[in-house]
Amino acid sequence: MRSSNPVMNSLSGAKGGAQRGAYQAGYPQQGYQDPYAGYGRPVAPTDDRPMTVDDVVSKTGMTLGVIILLALVNFGISLFNPGLAMLLTVVGAIGGLITVLVGTFGKKYGSAAVTLIYAAFEGLFVGGISVIFSGAVVGESDAGALIGQAILGTVGVFLGMLFVYKTGAVKVTPKFNRILTGALVGVLVLALGNLLLALFTGANPLRDGGMLAIIFSLVCIGLAALSFLTDFDAADKMIRAGAPSKMAWGVALGLAVTLVWLYTEILRLLSYFRGD
């Protein structure tokens, strides 16, 4: 169960839950009423039940709720104190990155704390970056419309890729994941190179709003959309394998990472066409 999303990839390598039968590790399966319970046979602990689709939906919903709430808070702060809002945006970006690294490489599989802390940091980042790209802080009248379009675009891509996955129009295979992972690494290298170029020379070809920047944003949006397929596939396989329910927090983290990236790229692309 490999995925191009590093969060999902680490989750799929977590132990505990593969190939559960009628009994799991000596415990009766959830929902099965063991007639011998209380006569020496232990019952399954309630916090180790198999993960379900409802778990994924509820945990993802809570994660997105925290992101939206903190984004609105930072957006509101920007209207009265732009300097503080920009500081919170930087804190959110750095904090979100550190939290993802901790969750991915620190073996924090299915940690609610890690996921919600990431959501809080990313909420601050999303709120601030929305102000920057939409021009709301300088009184642009169509800033709200631009943000609304980016949100609709993000939701539309998410639902579209969910439909593509459920219908099997695109098969998620190991080869597909390897190709997508390679493309994501390539984009990351280009982005870092462009950042260094901007810092040392002032040139910013991949983010200056020109034709090359538009193409780069379209590529990023396409890769983010395809990443949803690997996210859905990894989550589906974990559910089928009977992974513990707490792993739904890890699935929520992986989906949130992709959603934030997609929203940011769509908003950036829209700002290009507006000339900002």
Side-chain angles (χ1 to χ4, degrees):
M1 297 184 291
R2 310 297 292 178
S3 170
S4 61
N5 187 321
V7 177
M8 292 295 192
N9 200 29
S10 61
L11 274 169
S12 61
K15 297 181 179 179
Q19 302 300 328
R20 295 172 186 253
Y23 286 86
Q24 306 170 23
Y27 298 102
Q29 191 171 0
Q30 184 75 13
Y32 177 80
Q33 300 298 321
D34 187 0
Y36 299 102
Y39 292 90
R41 184 190 297 269
V43 295
T46 57
D47 60 348
D48 194 36
R49 61 177 178 79
M51 183 173 71
T52 66
V53 174
D54 288 342
D55 291 324
V56 175
V57 172
S58 61
K59 301 303 187 295
T60 302
M62 283 187 278
T63 303
L64 294 180
V66 173
I67 292 176
I68 294 171
L69 177 62
L70 269 296
L72 291 174
V73 169
N74 200 23
F75 191 91
I77 291 175
S78 70
L79 301 179
F80 303 97
N81 193 336
L84 176 59
M86 292 305 101
L87 175 62
L88 292 176
T89 302
V90 174
V91 170
I94 297 174
L97 176 60
I98 294 174
T99 306
V100 166
L101 293 177
V102 170
T104 302
F105 300 106
K107 307 301 182 182
K108 302 296 183 180
Y109 302 126
S111 170
V114 168
T115 300
L116 294 178
I117 290 173
Y118 167 80
F121 279 128
E122 282 303 282
L124 295 176
F125 170 74
V126 168
I129 209 70
S130 297
V131 170
I132 294 172
F133 289 155
S134 67
V137 75
V138 293
E140 292 286 352
S141 59
D142 59 344
L146 195 72
I147 294 173
Q149 291 169 6
I151 293 174
L152 288 176
T154 302
V155 174
V157 171
F158 176 83
L159 294 178
M161 299 313 293
L162 180 60
F163 176 79
V164 168
Y165 177 75
K166 296 298 291 183
T167 58
V170 177
K171 299 295 184 181
V172 180
T173 63
K175 182 178 180 180
F176 176 90
N177 285 330
R178 287 195 300 270
I179 294 174
L180 183 57
T181 300
L184 291 172
V185 171
V187 164
L188 177 61
V189 171
L190 285 174
L192 290 176
N194 184 74
L195 177 61
L196 294 175
L197 186 66
L199 290 175
F200 291 104
T201 68
N204 192 18
L206 296 183
R207 296 304 190 186
D208 61 0
M211 182 56 64
L212 186 59
I214 292 174
I215 293 174
F216 185 72
S217 285
L218 288 172
V219 170
C220 290
I221 291 171
L223 291 178
L226 292 175
S227 295
F228 281 129
L229 296 180
T230 65
D231 295 346
F232 297 148
D233 187 63
D236 186 36
K237 287 179 178 177
M238 280 189 283
I239 292 173
R240 293 176 184 274
S245 59
K246 67 178 183 179
M247 293 298 182
W249 283 110
V251 175
L253 176 60
L255 289 171
V257 169
T258 307
L259 281 166
V260 169
W261 181 33
L262 177 63
Y263 168 77
T264 303
E265 289 298 334
I266 291 178
L267 185 61
R268 187 195 301 270
L269 181 63
L270 291 175
S271 72
Y272 292 159
F273 288 114
R274 200 180 63 172
D276 292 339

